[in-house]
Amino acid sequence: MYYKFKDKVKSDINIGKLVCLARSYKKHAQEMKSEIPKEPVIFLKPASSVIFNGDKIKIPEMSKCIHHEVELGIVIGKKCKNISKKDAFDYILGYLVALDITARDIQSEFKKKGWPWTIAKSFDTFAPISEVVLKEYITDPQNLDISLKVNGKLKQDSNTSFMIFSIEEIIEFISKVMTLEPGDLILTGTPEGVDEIKKGDILEAKLGNICSLKVIVD
Ligand code: MG
């Protein structure tokens, strides 16, 4: 599966692993009654969960409650490992807006049991993404409005300036753990306002005025 680019300059980047942050905005951590972390909390989603603009989110049979989480996505452009904050931007290809769809009932149950909640995040169609905007076209990715409407109603409305960890800090941290490769995607975590979505709902996500995403729950 390949990325789609807004300006059609690049079209041959294969989607790699999805590295995601949990509890990345203070108010979301509070609404989930979670502790505010001292360093990024990360988990993975498979590339097979990715869908694009106009595609449909499928509610899995295993879940009775799926939630939306709108997030800034960072697309990695160059292979990197042990990158320091000051060099982080050199390894970014571009940005997109994404939804980290979550089976909240499964996640809550597994959290209680102390099990990994991989399943809750990994179903097919659980990572809708917009086209990629190359970084050259974005002045300040750390100051972009990020929002989500469900059936026309504003449900999430924040700004990337409220992220607990900066883009550079996130890349520095993740690259200490694992090699990041071209096409890898970092989902930087969701602001407050997450909620349940149901069959027939229309989701419209927006990142500043640079990219948007529209998907339907099937
Ligand atoms: Mg998330």
Side-chain angles (χ1 to χ4, degrees):
M1 203 177 339
Y2 293 93
Y3 282 109
K4 296 173 180 177
F5 286 83
K6 198 174 178 189
D7 57 7
K8 315 273 186 245
V9 173
K10 290 181 180 285
S11 58
D12 56 349
I13 307 288
N14 206 351
I15 299 175
K17 58 183 170 290
L18 277 62
V19 188
C20 311
L21 270 81
R23 306 174 195 175
S24 194
Y25 290 75
K26 201 172 159 189
K27 285 185 184 168
H28 173 61
Q30 287 166 341
E31 77 181 345
M32 299 304 292
K33 300 188 171 45
S34 297
E35 226 176 275
I36 293 158
K38 301 224 167 25
E39 55 184 20
V41 176
I42 62 170
F43 62 90
L44 297 170
K45 274 171 106 87
S48 49
S49 60
V50 169
I51 58 170
F52 297 101
N53 217 352
D55 289 344
K56 288 176 176 168
I57 298 167
K58 303 258 182 213
I59 302 177
E61 277 178 23
M62 288 166 78
S63 174
K64 299 259 178 305
C65 177
I66 70 167
H67 273 197
H68 58 74
E69 296 186 356
V70 69
E71 309 195 0
L72 164 73
I74 305 166
V75 180
I76 297 295
K78 281 196 278 185
K79 189 170 177 173
C80 59
K81 173 75 181 169
N82 290 324
I83 294 308
S84 68
K85 274 192 288 188
K86 67 175 177 38
D87 297 325
F89 282 110
D90 296 344
Y91 296 88
I92 295 173
L93 179 72
Y95 303 91
L96 51 74
V97 64
L99 294 171
D100 170 22
I101 304 297
T102 304
R104 195 69 77 200
D105 51 350
I106 296 175
Q107 189 192 37
S108 305
E109 186 192 332
F110 280 35
K111 269 184 181 174
K112 263 185 232 155
K113 290 178 177 168
W115 294 352
W117 27 273
T118 305
I119 290 176
K121 295 283 189 178
S122 299
F123 289 101
D124 288 358
T125 77
F126 268 28
I129 60 171
S130 73
E131 293 163 320
V132 182
V133 180
L134 297 174
K135 68 176 173 186
E136 291 75 17
Y137 297 100
I138 301 177
T139 319
D140 185 2
Q142 206 69 76
N143 186 15
L144 290 170
D145 290 333
I146 185 162
S147 66
L148 179 77
K149 285 182 181 172
V150 178
N151 302 326
K153 191 178 167 204
L154 192 61
K155 298 289 287 185
Q156 293 191 267
D157 186 20
S158 188
N159 187 286
T160 56
S161 61
F162 295 120
M163 285 164 57
I164 297 169
F165 304 103
S166 67
I167 291 167
E168 304 97 292
E169 287 168 335
I170 290 169
I171 291 177
E172 181 182 78
F173 180 81
I174 296 172
S175 77
K176 271 189 213 166
V177 180
M178 62 187 90
T179 300
L180 288 168
E181 295 171 298
D184 285 351
L185 175 60
I186 299 171
L187 299 186
T188 58
T190 193
E192 68 280 8
V194 302
D195 204 356
E196 187 176 4
I197 43 175
K198 301 216 176 214
K199 188 178 167 67
D201 284 348
I202 298 166
L203 279 60
E204 292 172 279
K206 222 175 151 205
L207 183 65
N209 285 320
I210 59 166
C211 57
S212 61
L213 171 70
K214 186 174 178 179
V215 287
I216 297 169
V217 184
D218 194 24

